[in-house]
Amino acid sequence: MELAYVCDWEKRPKSTHCPSVPLVSSWSCRNLVAFTTDLKNDDDDIKDVSHMIHIIDTEHPWDVFSINSGHREVISCLEWDQSGSRLLSADGDGRIRCWSMSEHLVNSWESTLSSSVDGDPIVALSWLHNGVKLALHVEMSGSTNFGEKFSRVKFSPSLTLFGGKPMEGWLAVTVSGLVTVSLLKPGGALLTASESLCRLRGRVALADIAFTGGGNIVVAATDGSSSSPVQFYKVVVSVVSEKCRIDTELLPSLFLRCTTDPLRRDKYPAVTHLKFLTRENSEQVLLCASNQSGSIVECWSLRKEGLPVNNIFQHRSPVVGEKQPTILKWRILTTTGDLERVSAVALPKLPISISNTDLKVASDTKFCPGLGLALAFHDGSIQVLHRLSLHTMCVFYGAAQRPGDDAAIKRPRTAGPALHFKALQFSWTSLALAGVDGHGKLHMLRVSPSMGQVLDMNTTLRHLLFLLEYCMVTGYDWWDVLLHVQPSMVHNLVEKLHEEYMRQNQALQQVLATRIVAVKASLCKLSTATAARACDFHAKLLLIAISSTLKSLLRPHVLNTPDKSPGDRLTEICAKNTDTDIDKVMINLKTEEFVLDGPPLQSLQQLIQWVGDFVLYLLANLPNQGSAVRPGFGFMRDGASLGMLREMLVMIRIWGLLKPGCLPTFTAMSDNQDSMQLLFRLLTKLWLCSRDDGPPQEPDESLIDECCLLPSQLLVPSMDWLPVNDGIIVKLQGKLPLRLQFGKASSLQGAGGSAPLDVFTRSPGAQKMDNLRCIHMGVSPTEESKACTRCGCVTMLRSPNKTNAMKQWEQRWIKNCLCGGLWRRMPPIFT
């Protein structure tokens, strides 16, 4: 485990540590981290703490969005929903607020809904379960079928609407023993109800929430004393006559083992941490008891045991089919020895299967993600323990000195306490840890997939490939996996990922078609040797999007048409017809299916122009693709993409006969030059060399000669490739940690990395490009813009278009970029 980066506040008050104020954090599946701080002004009273929520995306950690939450008391809970787009916050006054992105921007949030239990502090908070649960099988990591590696587990939602659709909402537990539920109705209204956990309400100092496969909710609660029992309750939520109903039932409880040990009976008087090991497993719980200087951690499991029968009933003849009565009892799995005092606990989110076979394979291959839980201690160190055995897997010392360090012996002991983590969170693949210390600094730590054990390169690649496949299937962000990819691994990972993708069935390939391209683009940006390929992958995403948009405009001439759509027929005819004359290919098409009104075609001219410019650029650069890989090289042998470009040229040619204004504009050196005919002929020759149904061939000399002459016939445009992503991932290849400041992107300059390729460089007076609308915005654009957190794609925040066709294109990317990344607001003038 090693430190990746630290984000600090530029101006921090001299006295910021407020021991009475807890810090909380939460990490979403989209790699957004939300955390609170106890920052206050020096002149303020200690009670006057600013209840701020800070949200960052891990790729741009300096771009923090701080929300004045409006909570009147200290924020006690933060919880992301399973989509990573909404955040719940709860405070010590019983108020719960739901935050969502404003205009789908990660650095712009607003509170849309709220509920409250006046004056009753919230101690546990969770979204209701939506019924989606995957299991990751390490045993099947070598399988060629994604469905065997990542299986869907039968799991019922906490509450369903008509038709089985899961109902959204949240559940909270208060300090007085009250459980409150808020349900989000389809119209947007909230349906709220509260109920006591049991008849005799008592103080609840700590609580946690888990879910069962049958749709029930289990709440664990304790009053904070290690001598008191840890109680468990089953909570069932239903809607009866348009009202929310809550039913609770008492489940078996447990007493901590340390309270029954004569040597430790009074040593650890307080329970400081109570957590279910996973939110979908209510049968395993982690407990931590502490005193002023130390802690002990226990892991318990709920098991079904046979109920002993009295001797009187043992001699009677058994009844056919009768089973021995059983009872549920909590049994301790394991316990640690005496530890330093625990300050924070982080549990893994990766849903790894813990069957005996999976655990054995994980142990043999040293695959550790999802098997470790992290404990932060008051001496500044972090230990990762095995979630079942509680054996130490790795240690991060942080501010604490390593054992045996001479400096620790020579340096006098300081009076003040060591700086330690007050909040800790695992990423969704358990390959990174985010921690917040008492001074409000955010620390990002890299956690090795093998927990520091030495692996050969093939095993390391297999582990990373397994997790990339998991992210690709689930749609979760893969930023934390990239933390462990070295530049020398990129090529092998891209090739192996493509091989695994091609082994899937056709339906799954279609679903993952754009997602795998986005993963490849992210990988290729990590190495200067493959940076040009990243350009190709981003161009391919745009090409796929434009192709599907243009084909969607086609309408069958007769409603009762055969199975295939006009777009499918176009693809089929273009694949069979190898003629290099574009007009001869048009003859085989039903041109009435291409008849469209003028305005849609004219409004999409900028996208059509990009297609024309891109084809011209590829062909003109065919002779230049030598030993140095340049942007566009990946398309030279990509038969599917070349075929897609060929289809679009045919469509554009037909539309040009109806509306000449929609045609791409080329600067020709001759007045009688048919540019579209020339480009289609050369493109077809290149496509024939790389068709999928035959062995790849090298372009013949005549084709290369013709492409060499292209710049003398047509003015070749300079393609505006995506700018170099200003994110942090490319700066984290080295082992040295980075120190950043919130609000100052310039603090990243000079941190590692190599010089960018010349194709990526931008002069200060260069035109800024709207990469989504394919239009220029000027040298110093004044319009508000947004940029993708993943690939750096920039586009205007407000639409300048008024036509429906272009608005439909823009609506496709209102929530996410072409690559699936989230949007963040950019300043009016960006570089």
Side-chain angles (χ1 to χ4, degrees), residues 110-395:
E110 60 185 0
S111 176
T112 53
L113 298 165
S114 66
S115 63
S116 66
V117 186
D118 291 339
D120 205 351
I122 305 294
V123 295
L125 179 66
S126 176
W127 290 89
L128 297 181
H129 205 283
N130 62 2
V132 177
K133 182 185 177 185
L134 284 179
L136 185 143
H137 300 281
V138 184
E139 178 193 4
M140 306 303 295
S141 60
S143 171
T144 58
N145 188 347
F146 285 171
E148 294 177 352
K149 295 180 182 180
F150 319 110
S151 64
R152 179 77 179 262
V153 179
K154 187 177 180 181
F155 210 87
S156 298
S158 304
L159 189 62
T160 56
L161 295 166
F162 180 78
K165 181 181 178 181
M167 192 170 189
E168 295 183 319
W170 57 81
L171 175 140
V173 180
T174 70
V175 75
S176 68
L178 205 64
V179 57
T180 176
V181 175
S182 296
L183 303 177
L184 185 59
K185 298 174 71 174
L190 272 182
L191 199 61
T192 303
S194 300
E195 185 64 51
S196 175
L197 281 172
C198 60
R199 291 182 179 180
L200 297 176
R201 287 171 62 181
R203 179 177 180 270
V204 176
L206 296 171
D208 199 22
I209 301 166
F211 302 90
T212 68
N216 296 327
I217 303 165
V218 176
V219 174
T222 174
D223 63 3
S225 172
S226 60
S227 60
S228 300
V230 179
Q231 302 280 5
F232 295 85
Y233 307 91
K234 182 174 77 172
V235 178
V236 181
V237 182
S238 57
V239 176
V240 180
S241 302
E242 294 296 318
K243 292 184 178 180
C244 180
R245 176 177 171 179
I246 304 173
D247 296 302
T248 61
E249 178 185 334
L250 188 63
L251 297 176
S253 58
L254 65 88
F255 282 91
L256 269 73
R257 169 63 62 88
C258 64
T259 60
T260 60
D261 185 347
L263 299 177
R264 294 193 178 104
R265 181 171 299 170
D266 301 318
K267 187 174 182 179
Y268 300 106
V271 179
T272 53
H273 297 87
L274 165 63
K275 299 279 186 182
F276 287 106
L277 282 184
T278 65
R279 69 191 298 265
E280 281 113 2
N281 185 358
S282 60
E283 298 177 355
Q284 288 184 337
V285 68
L286 188 80
L287 293 160
C288 176
S290 306
N291 56 26
Q292 291 296 322
S293 59
S295 298
I296 189 170
V297 176
E298 300 179 358
C299 186
W300 290 74
S301 177
L302 185 65
R303 297 179 181 176
K304 187 180 289 186
E305 298 181 355
L307 192 65
V309 181
N310 193 285
N311 293 334
I312 298 176
F313 302 101
Q314 288 181 353
H315 302 292
R316 68 182 181 86
S317 57
V319 180
V320 177
E322 185 180 31
K323 296 181 180 179
Q324 182 184 8
T326 58
I327 188 173
L328 291 172
K329 291 189 73 173
W330 285 100
R331 294 291 185 187
I332 190 163
L333 281 179
T334 185
T335 181
T336 65
D338 296 331
L339 303 170
E340 177 71 25
R341 188 179 178 190
V342 174
S343 60
V345 177
L347 297 175
K349 300 182 178 72
L350 192 71
I352 187 171
S353 170
I354 54 173
S355 66
N356 292 334
T357 310
D358 285 309
L359 288 175
K360 184 178 185 307
V361 173
S363 175
D364 294 342
T365 60
K366 300 176 182 177
F367 182 86
C368 300
L371 292 177
L373 59 92
L375 302 179
F377 298 97
H378 275 254
D379 64 357
S381 65
I382 296 176
Q383 287 188 29
V384 178
L385 309 182
H386 195 284
R387 57 188 276 189
L388 299 179
S389 65
L390 296 185
H391 291 158
T392 302
M393 302 175 77
C394 69
V395 180

Side-chain angles (χ1 to χ4, degrees), residues 709-777:
L709 294 174
L710 259 183
S712 64
Q713 297 170 300
L714 298 172
L715 183 63
V716 181
S718 59
M719 295 300 295
D720 196 286
W721 302 100
L722 280 184
V724 176
N725 191 3
D726 62 347
I728 199 173
I729 193 69
V730 295
K731 304 293 183 181
L732 296 175
Q733 303 302 317
K735 298 297 182 182
L736 295 177
L738 299 180
R739 187 167 296 275
L740 311 171
Q741 287 184 343
F742 287 120
K744 293 185 70 173
S746 58
S747 60
L748 187 62
Q749 292 179 359
S754 304
L757 300 179
D758 57 347
V759 73
F760 296 119
T761 56
R762 301 286 188 277
S763 62
Q767 288 265 352
K768 303 300 188 296
M769 188 77 178
D770 186 319
N771 304 114
L772 203 57
R773 297 181 178 88
C774 302
I775 57 176
H776 291 281
M777 297 190 293

Side-chain angles (χ1 to χ4, degrees), residues 405-458:
D405 191 348
D406 294 337
I409 302 173
K410 297 176 182 177
R411 187 172 58 251
R413 195 184 190 104
T414 56
L419 190 64
H420 60 273
F421 294 101
K422 300 182 72 176
L424 204 62
Q425 284 283 324
F426 266 115
S427 67
W428 280 64
T429 60
S430 300
L431 293 186
L433 269 172
V436 184
D437 64 24
H439 286 174
K441 292 182 183 178
L442 175 69
H443 300 250
M444 185 66 64
L445 292 89
R446 188 168 16 209
V447 183
S448 167
S450 62
M451 295 295 174
Q453 301 175 83
V454 179
L455 297 179
D456 60 88
M457 181 59 75
N458 287 333

Side-chain angles (χ1 to χ4, degrees), residues 610-636:
W610 183 88
V611 173
D613 289 345
F614 189 66
V615 172
L616 178 54
Y617 176 88
L618 288 182
L619 295 172
N621 280 273
L622 178 61
N624 300 330
Q625 296 294 349
S627 56
V629 177
R630 299 180 63 81
F633 178 79
F635 284 90
M636 301 306 175

